[in-house]
Amino acid sequence: MWGEEPENANHARIGRTASVFAMPKALQPSIFPRAAGLVAAMLLLAVASPGAGHVRELIASDRWAEALDEARALAEAAPSDAQARSALGEALYRAGRIDEAAELLAPLSTSPSAPGRALAQLALARTAQGQDAQAAELFGRAVTAASDDRWVVYWASGGAETRAKTVSLLNAYLAKSDGDDPDRIEGAKGTLRLYAALGERKVWVPAARPERTEIPLHPLVDPGRRSGWTIDAALANGKKVRLLLDTGSTGLFVVLRAVKKSGYTPLAEETVFAGGGQGRTPSARGLMETISFGDVLFRDALVTTSKDEFDPQGRIHGVLGLNVFSGYRITLDLAKGRLVLDPPSGSEEGQPYWTVGGQMLVRAAAEGAPEGLFLFDTGATMSNLDNAYAKAVPGAKPSTAAAVSTYGGAVAGATFVRGAKLRFDGLETGGDPVHASDFTQRSRLGGVQISGFLGMDLLDGKIVVIDTTRHRLSVSRPAKN
């Protein structure tokens, strides 16, 4: 993956540790009767935790596995306590158990006195599930219930129906932000600069949107392997730019030199987080007068530009995420080299995916290790594990240093890991090594734990079908003739 920006424009720019997520042994029903268990749980809480606030402190300090254990104990000891349930929902979400968090919090949300934190956390889960209308309603209730909670206000700004409301909420957040995550603060300021330039002007306005279309893809080949697929885009003056098709990115990232004389209008400066280099890359935002992909045409396309090249050989001018094709059923034929856009089928086939901070996440696992959330990433030549998750993979061994590039430059501390096979949707990576690096910043800013990336070593040569309306996707081998 080269770079990413959040789907909801207020979120800080964001561009993965294993746990079995089991109940602590002292609280397992099989060990003691329920009454005795509750007494033990209360004693444990008295020693280990003053309550929901401590769970949230653990989450904020990236000690999410401890937070989940403590939150389970808290909820077991006080099953009718709304704050305890809310804290458990927050811990489940941070641990990447998005649907479990939603299932836990949904009954609580029906109460007129539901805690603002619970409502906001359920709204985040609904956003991840693609249920944006419900999320917006929950965010509104959350702000009403907890307008003094900067965590609630910050995340609610992502569900605001207008930019003006987002600006109001972000200003309210910044007024309370002293001591909060500096990356989050900077991301909020960058969004305010962008929105001051945009106002309520619509972006990515469809000018031609055929019901069905097919767009050719072109292979990007490195020595010994096909490392990705590219798509051509036509700009206002007819100039064509070649973009890496990158499901791990959202929106369009381009090198400035390729677009500045082709209908590009600069708007504001921002920072892209969780890429390469120092993890914080100054970037510019602007509008393209028009841009088309085959027969699909947009006006006022909001793009992120960089002065640095995306490829040392100049083979590509940027990267394109799939969110520009939202509303379609997207087929990536990575065997024949084509992208097909169709109307949604209404089918529930395939695996669920969740969208968090613009990232397309699926549940996958390395052989012998627990499941986690993995970024579905056609922009990654090789799959990648979070350093902490890699340590939980039986037989996996770190090898030599690896040269991994993403938006902003080289990824610090990246290594090769041997002996790890990743599995998803009935497929698995081969015997080649995978990459490993530190995903702490990405996980913290996105709010969920990311265990790795599923890259082209798993996906190339396959047929990927993504239903953007139902948040389902499937990966299969092409049929044999």
Side-chain angles (χ1 to χ4, degrees):
M1 184 184 67
W2 284 86
E4 51 280 324
E5 60 186 4
E7 186 172 69
N8 294 320
N10 69 292
H11 298 165
R13 295 293 178 252
I14 61 175
R16 298 167 188 223
T17 315
S19 170
V20 180
F21 304 124
M23 184 180 294
K25 288 185 178 179
L27 299 178
Q28 290 177 359
S30 59
I31 296 178
F32 45 73
R34 179 171 179 81
L38 287 175
V39 172
M42 292 172 69
L43 290 173
L44 175 64
L45 285 170
V47 173
S49 170
H54 190 249
V55 171
R56 289 160 183 155
E57 290 174 6
L58 291 172
I59 292 173
S61 62
D62 291 323
R63 295 161 63 187
W64 60 270
E66 294 176 57
L68 182 55
D69 282 344
E70 190 165 301
R72 288 191 191 278
L74 185 67
E76 176 74 7
S80 61
D81 187 327
Q83 287 294 341
R85 180 177 291 189
S86 177
L88 178 54
E90 293 165 48
L92 285 166
Y93 185 87
R94 178 62 179 83
R97 319 295 291 196
I98 296 173
D99 287 352
E100 291 179 42
E103 184 177 1
L104 176 78
L105 295 173
L108 190 61
S109 71
T110 61
S111 169
S113 59
R117 281 262 183 159
L119 295 169
Q121 186 60 81
L122 180 58
L124 287 171
R126 294 301 188 220
T127 298
Q129 295 168 332
Q131 301 178 36
D132 293 338
Q134 185 178 354
E137 186 269 335
L138 288 164
F139 276 134
R141 289 177 57 199
V143 172
T144 300
S147 60
D148 58 342
D149 187 330
R150 70 185 181 194
W151 185 92
V152 169
V153 173
Y154 172 79
W155 290 110
S157 65
E161 295 181 352
T162 66
R163 293 196 188 115
K165 182 62 175 177
T166 295
V167 167
S168 175
L169 289 170
L170 284 180
N171 280 323
Y173 160 74
L174 289 173
K176 303 176 178 67
S177 66
D178 188 36
D180 199 13
D181 189 308
D183 289 346
R184 184 171 292 168
I185 293 170
E186 177 54 34
K189 291 179 178 178
T191 297
L192 288 173
R193 289 193 294 270
L194 175 64
Y195 279 17
L198 274 177
E200 293 295 334
R201 184 175 181 175
K202 293 182 178 180
V203 298
W204 287 100
V205 179
R209 186 179 175 88
E211 184 176 19
R212 184 187 189 281
T213 190
E214 183 174 317
I215 305 170
L217 303 177
H218 311 282
L220 189 67
V221 180
D222 287 327
R225 73 170 66 208
R226 188 165 55 199
S227 57
W229 291 89
T230 66
I231 184 172
D232 288 338
L235 307 181
N237 61 356
K239 179 180 179 180
K240 289 191 176 181
V241 293
R242 184 151 287 187
L243 308 168
L244 180 70
L245 191 65
D246 183 3
T247 59
S249 294
T250 64
L252 174 59
F253 291 70
V254 291
V255 62
L256 180 60
R257 67 164 181 81
V259 300
K260 64 180 180 179
K261 295 181 180 179
S262 303
Y264 173 74
T265 302
L267 289 176
E269 299 292 323
E270 290 191 295
T271 300
V272 175
F273 294 100
Q278 300 300 313
R280 298 163 182 82
T281 305
S283 301
R285 304 300 298 279
L287 291 175
M288 298 300 305
E289 181 182 343
T290 65
I291 188 168
S292 62
F293 311 96
D295 295 329
V296 181
L297 173 67
F298 296 96
R299 300 190 187 280
D300 288 338
L302 182 63
V303 302
T304 302
T305 63
S306 170
K307 294 180 180 178
D308 298 326
E309 296 292 329
F310 285 80
D311 178 61
Q313 303 173 45
R315 297 173 297 174
I316 61 173
H317 303 101
V319 298
L320 178 72
L322 291 184
N323 67 321
V324 301
F325 301 122
S326 291
Y328 280 111
R329 180 175 180 264
I330 303 168
T331 299
L332 304 179
D333 188 336
L334 303 183
K336 295 182 179 179
R338 57 180 185 161
L339 181 151
V340 181
L341 303 177
D342 287 301
S345 66
S347 171
E348 294 295 332
E349 294 180 359
Q351 304 295 321
Y353 72 86
W354 300 268
T355 304
V356 176
Q359 303 169 108
M360 180 184 291
L361 305 175
V362 297
R363 295 205 68 80
E367 185 176 12
E371 276 193 336
L373 287 180
F374 281 70
L375 185 68
F376 193 84
D377 193 2
T378 62
T381 301
M382 185 179 293
S383 294
N384 200 343
L385 298 178
D386 174 57
N387 285 336
Y389 184 87
K391 294 177 181 178
V393 180
K397 297 180 179 180
S399 179
T400 56
V404 178
S405 294
T406 183
Y407 189 85
V411 176
T415 61
F416 288 106
V417 171
R418 299 187 179 276
K421 286 187 176 182
L422 300 182
R423 292 176 172 172
F424 172 72
D425 203 15
L427 304 172
E428 68 177 29
T429 56
D432 293 334
V434 297
H435 289 141
S437 55
D438 183 9
F439 299 162
T440 301
Q441 184 190 39
R442 176 185 300 277
S443 297
R444 183 181 73 252
L445 290 178
V448 298
Q449 192 62 26
I450 308 298
S451 296
F453 298 174
L454 298 180
M456 290 297 286
D457 49 347
L458 177 75
L459 303 176
D460 194 36
K462 311 301 192 302
I463 297 176
V464 180
V465 180
I466 303 168
D467 189 331
T468 61
T469 63
R470 284 175 169 75
H471 271 223
R472 311 285 295 189
L473 66 81
S474 64
V475 183
S476 61
R477 294 182 176 87
K480 294 182 179 180
N481 295 328

Short mmCIF file of all heavy atoms in Angstrom, two decimals, residues 75-110:
data_model
loop_
_atom_site.label_atom_id
_atom_site.label_comp_id
_atom_site.label_asym_id
_atom_site.label_seq_id
_atom_site.Cartn_x
_atom_site.Cartn_y
_atom_site.Cartn_z
N ALA A 75 -17.10 -5.99 33.12
CA ALA A 75 -18.47 -6.29 32.69
C ALA A 75 -19.02 -7.52 33.40
O ALA A 75 -20.22 -7.59 33.69
CB ALA A 75 -18.51 -6.47 31.18
N GLU A 76 -18.17 -8.49 33.67
CA GLU A 76 -18.61 -9.69 34.39
C GLU A 76 -19.00 -9.34 35.82
O GLU A 76 -19.97 -9.87 36.37
CB GLU A 76 -17.50 -10.73 34.39
CG GLU A 76 -17.79 -12.00 35.19
CD GLU A 76 -18.78 -12.93 34.51
OE1 GLU A 76 -19.15 -12.67 33.35
OE2 GLU A 76 -19.18 -13.93 35.14
N ALA A 77 -18.23 -8.46 36.43
CA ALA A 77 -18.50 -8.08 37.82
C ALA A 77 -19.73 -7.18 37.94
O ALA A 77 -20.40 -7.18 38.98
CB ALA A 77 -17.29 -7.37 38.41
N ALA A 78 -20.01 -6.39 36.91
CA ALA A 78 -21.13 -5.43 36.96
C ALA A 78 -21.92 -5.52 35.67
O ALA A 78 -21.89 -4.61 34.84
CB ALA A 78 -20.61 -4.03 37.20
N PRO A 79 -22.66 -6.63 35.46
CA PRO A 79 -23.32 -6.85 34.16
C PRO A 79 -24.40 -5.82 33.82
O PRO A 79 -24.73 -5.67 32.65
CB PRO A 79 -23.92 -8.25 34.32
CG PRO A 79 -24.01 -8.48 35.79
CD PRO A 79 -22.86 -7.74 36.40
N SER A 80 -24.93 -5.11 34.80
CA SER A 80 -25.98 -4.13 34.51
C SER A 80 -25.43 -2.71 34.43
O SER A 80 -26.20 -1.77 34.23
CB SER A 80 -27.08 -4.20 35.58
OG SER A 80 -26.54 -3.89 36.86
N ASP A 81 -24.14 -2.54 34.55
CA ASP A 81 -23.51 -1.22 34.54
C ASP A 81 -23.29 -0.79 33.09
O ASP A 81 -22.50 -1.40 32.36
CB ASP A 81 -22.19 -1.27 35.30
CG ASP A 81 -21.57 0.11 35.49
OD1 ASP A 81 -21.74 0.96 34.59
OD2 ASP A 81 -20.91 0.33 36.51
N ALA A 82 -23.95 0.28 32.67
CA ALA A 82 -23.85 0.73 31.29
C ALA A 82 -22.43 1.19 30.95
O ALA A 82 -21.96 0.99 29.82
CB ALA A 82 -24.84 1.87 31.03
N GLN A 83 -21.75 1.82 31.89
CA GLN A 83 -20.39 2.26 31.62
C GLN A 83 -19.44 1.07 31.46
O GLN A 83 -18.53 1.11 30.63
CB GLN A 83 -19.91 3.17 32.75
CG GLN A 83 -20.53 4.56 32.76
CD GLN A 83 -20.13 5.39 31.54
OE1 GLN A 83 -19.16 5.11 30.86
NE2 GLN A 83 -20.91 6.44 31.26
N ALA A 84 -19.67 0.02 32.24
CA ALA A 84 -18.83 -1.18 32.10
C ALA A 84 -19.05 -1.82 30.73
O ALA A 84 -18.08 -2.24 30.07
CB ALA A 84 -19.16 -2.18 33.21
N ARG A 85 -20.30 -1.88 30.29
CA ARG A 85 -20.57 -2.46 28.97
C ARG A 85 -19.99 -1.57 27.88
O ARG A 85 -19.45 -2.07 26.88
CB ARG A 85 -22.08 -2.63 28.77
CG ARG A 85 -22.42 -3.22 27.39
CD ARG A 85 -23.90 -3.46 27.22
NE ARG A 85 -24.37 -4.54 28.07
CZ ARG A 85 -25.58 -5.07 27.99
NH1 ARG A 85 -26.45 -4.61 27.11
NH2 ARG A 85 -25.94 -6.05 28.79
N SER A 86 -20.11 -0.27 28.04
CA SER A 86 -19.54 0.63 27.05
C SER A 86 -18.03 0.44 26.95
O SER A 86 -17.47 0.37 25.85
CB SER A 86 -19.85 2.08 27.43
OG SER A 86 -19.24 2.98 26.53
N ALA A 87 -17.35 0.32 28.10
CA ALA A 87 -15.91 0.12 28.09
C ALA A 87 -15.53 -1.18 27.40
O ALA A 87 -14.54 -1.24 26.66
CB ALA A 87 -15.37 0.13 29.52
N LEU A 88 -16.33 -2.23 27.61
CA LEU A 88 -16.06 -3.49 26.93
C LEU A 88 -16.26 -3.35 25.42
O LEU A 88 -15.46 -3.87 24.62
CB LEU A 88 -16.96 -4.60 27.48
CG LEU A 88 -16.80 -5.98 26.83
CD1 LEU A 88 -15.35 -6.45 26.86
CD2 LEU A 88 -17.71 -7.00 27.52
N GLY A 89 -17.29 -2.63 25.01
CA GLY A 89 -17.49 -2.39 23.58
C GLY A 89 -16.33 -1.64 22.96
O GLY A 89 -15.88 -1.96 21.86
N GLU A 90 -15.81 -0.64 23.69
CA GLU A 90 -14.66 0.11 23.18
C GLU A 90 -13.42 -0.77 23.07
O GLU A 90 -12.65 -0.67 22.10
CB GLU A 90 -14.39 1.30 24.11
CG GLU A 90 -15.50 2.36 24.09
CD GLU A 90 -15.38 3.33 25.25
OE1 GLU A 90 -14.26 3.84 25.47
OE2 GLU A 90 -16.39 3.57 25.94
N ALA A 91 -13.23 -1.63 24.06
CA ALA A 91 -12.06 -2.52 24.03
C ALA A 91 -12.18 -3.56 22.92
O ALA A 91 -11.19 -3.89 22.26
CB ALA A 91 -11.90 -3.20 25.39
N LEU A 92 -13.37 -4.10 22.71
CA LEU A 92 -13.57 -5.05 21.62
C LEU A 92 -13.28 -4.40 20.27
O LEU A 92 -12.63 -5.00 19.41
CB LEU A 92 -15.01 -5.59 21.65
CG LEU A 92 -15.35 -6.62 22.72
CD1 LEU A 92 -16.87 -6.78 22.83
CD2 LEU A 92 -14.69 -7.96 22.42
N TYR A 93 -13.77 -3.20 20.09
CA TYR A 93 -13.54 -2.49 18.82
C TYR A 93 -12.05 -2.25 18.61
O TYR A 93 -11.52 -2.51 17.53
CB TYR A 93 -14.31 -1.17 18.84
CG TYR A 93 -14.25 -0.41 17.54
CD1 TYR A 93 -15.18 -0.66 16.53
CD2 TYR A 93 -13.29 0.57 17.31
CE1 TYR A 93 -15.14 0.05 15.33
CE2 TYR A 93 -13.24 1.28 16.13
CZ TYR A 93 -14.17 1.02 15.14
OH TYR A 93 -14.11 1.71 13.95
N ARG A 94 -11.36 -1.77 19.65
CA ARG A 94 -9.92 -1.50 19.52
C ARG A 94 -9.15 -2.80 19.21
O ARG A 94 -8.14 -2.78 18.49
CB ARG A 94 -9.39 -0.88 20.83
CG ARG A 94 -7.88 -0.60 20.81
CD ARG A 94 -7.52 0.40 19.73
NE ARG A 94 -6.09 0.69 19.72
CZ ARG A 94 -5.18 -0.06 19.10
NH1 ARG A 94 -5.57 -1.15 18.45
NH2 ARG A 94 -3.91 0.25 19.12
N ALA A 95 -9.64 -3.92 19.71
CA ALA A 95 -9.00 -5.20 19.45
C ALA A 95 -9.33 -5.76 18.07
O ALA A 95 -8.84 -6.82 17.69
CB ALA A 95 -9.40 -6.22 20.52
N GLY A 96 -10.17 -5.05 17.32
CA GLY A 96 -10.53 -5.49 15.99
C GLY A 96 -11.75 -6.37 15.93
O GLY A 96 -12.06 -6.92 14.87
N ARG A 97 -12.47 -6.50 17.03
CA ARG A 97 -13.68 -7.33 17.07
C ARG A 97 -14.90 -6.43 16.84
O ARG A 97 -15.72 -6.21 17.72
CB ARG A 97 -13.79 -8.06 18.40
CG ARG A 97 -12.48 -8.62 18.94
CD ARG A 97 -11.91 -9.71 18.07
NE ARG A 97 -12.69 -10.93 18.10
CZ ARG A 97 -12.24 -12.12 17.68
NH1 ARG A 97 -11.01 -12.22 17.19
NH2 ARG A 97 -13.01 -13.19 17.72
N ILE A 98 -14.99 -5.92 15.61
CA ILE A 98 -15.96 -4.86 15.31
C ILE A 98 -17.40 -5.35 15.46
O ILE A 98 -18.24 -4.69 16.10
CB ILE A 98 -15.71 -4.31 13.90
CG1 ILE A 98 -14.33 -3.63 13.86
CG2 ILE A 98 -16.80 -3.32 13.51
CD1 ILE A 98 -13.90 -3.19 12.47
N ASP A 99 -17.72 -6.49 14.88
CA ASP A 99 -19.10 -6.99 14.96
C ASP A 99 -19.47 -7.36 16.39
O ASP A 99 -20.62 -7.17 16.81
CB ASP A 99 -19.28 -8.19 14.04
CG ASP A 99 -19.30 -7.80 12.57
OD1 ASP A 99 -19.33 -6.59 12.27
OD2 ASP A 99 -19.28 -8.71 11.71
N GLU A 100 -18.53 -7.89 17.16
CA GLU A 100 -18.81 -8.22 18.56
C GLU A 100 -19.11 -6.95 19.36
O GLU A 100 -20.01 -6.94 20.21
CB GLU A 100 -17.63 -8.96 19.17
CG GLU A 100 -17.42 -10.37 18.64
CD GLU A 100 -16.22 -11.04 19.28
OE1 GLU A 100 -16.04 -10.89 20.50
OE2 GLU A 100 -15.46 -11.71 18.55
N ALA A 101 -18.35 -5.90 19.08
CA ALA A 101 -18.62 -4.62 19.76
C ALA A 101 -20.02 -4.11 19.43
O ALA A 101 -20.75 -3.65 20.31
CB ALA A 101 -17.56 -3.60 19.35
N ALA A 102 -20.39 -4.20 18.15
CA ALA A 102 -21.72 -3.73 17.75
C ALA A 102 -22.82 -4.55 18.40
O ALA A 102 -23.83 -4.00 18.87
CB ALA A 102 -21.84 -3.79 16.23
N GLU A 103 -22.65 -5.87 18.44
CA GLU A 103 -23.67 -6.74 19.05
C GLU A 103 -23.84 -6.45 20.53
O GLU A 103 -24.95 -6.47 21.06
CB GLU A 103 -23.27 -8.20 18.84
CG GLU A 103 -24.30 -9.20 19.33
CD GLU A 103 -23.90 -10.64 19.05
OE1 GLU A 103 -22.82 -10.86 18.48
OE2 GLU A 103 -24.68 -11.55 19.41
N LEU A 104 -22.73 -6.15 21.20
CA LEU A 104 -22.79 -5.86 22.63
C LEU A 104 -23.48 -4.52 22.90
O LEU A 104 -24.28 -4.40 23.83
CB LEU A 104 -21.37 -5.83 23.20
CG LEU A 104 -21.24 -5.44 24.67
CD1 LEU A 104 -21.61 -6.61 25.57
CD2 LEU A 104 -19.83 -4.95 24.98
N LEU A 105 -23.18 -3.52 22.07
CA LEU A 105 -23.64 -2.16 22.35
C LEU A 105 -25.03 -1.86 21.81
O LEU A 105 -25.68 -0.92 22.29
CB LEU A 105 -22.64 -1.15 21.78
CG LEU A 105 -21.25 -1.16 22.42
CD1 LEU A 105 -20.31 -0.25 21.64
CD2 LEU A 105 -21.31 -0.74 23.88
N ALA A 106 -25.48 -2.62 20.81
CA ALA A 106 -26.78 -2.31 20.19
C ALA A 106 -27.93 -2.27 21.19
O ALA A 106 -28.74 -1.33 21.17
CB ALA A 106 -27.05 -3.29 19.06
N PRO A 107 -28.07 -3.27 22.10
CA PRO A 107 -29.18 -3.19 23.07
C PRO A 107 -29.08 -1.97 23.98
O PRO A 107 -30.09 -1.38 24.34
CB PRO A 107 -29.04 -4.50 23.87
CG PRO A 107 -28.27 -5.42 22.98
CD PRO A 107 -27.32 -4.53 22.23
N LEU A 108 -27.85 -1.59 24.33
CA LEU A 108 -27.65 -0.45 25.21
C LEU A 108 -28.11 0.85 24.53
O LEU A 108 -28.61 1.77 25.18
CB LEU A 108 -26.17 -0.35 25.59
CG LEU A 108 -25.77 0.62 26.69
CD1 LEU A 108 -26.44 0.26 28.01
CD2 LEU A 108 -24.25 0.62 26.85
N SER A 109 -27.97 0.92 23.23
CA SER A 109 -28.29 2.15 22.50
C SER A 109 -29.77 2.47 22.47
O SER A 109 -30.16 3.59 22.15
CB SER A 109 -27.76 2.05 21.07
OG SER A 109 -28.53 1.13 20.31
N THR A 110 -30.61 1.50 22.79
CA THR A 110 -32.05 1.74 22.77
C THR A 110 -32.52 2.55 23.96
O THR A 110 -33.63 3.07 23.97
CB THR A 110 -32.82 0.42 22.72
OG1 THR A 110 -32.52 -0.35 23.90
CG2 THR A 110 -32.43 -0.40 21.49
#
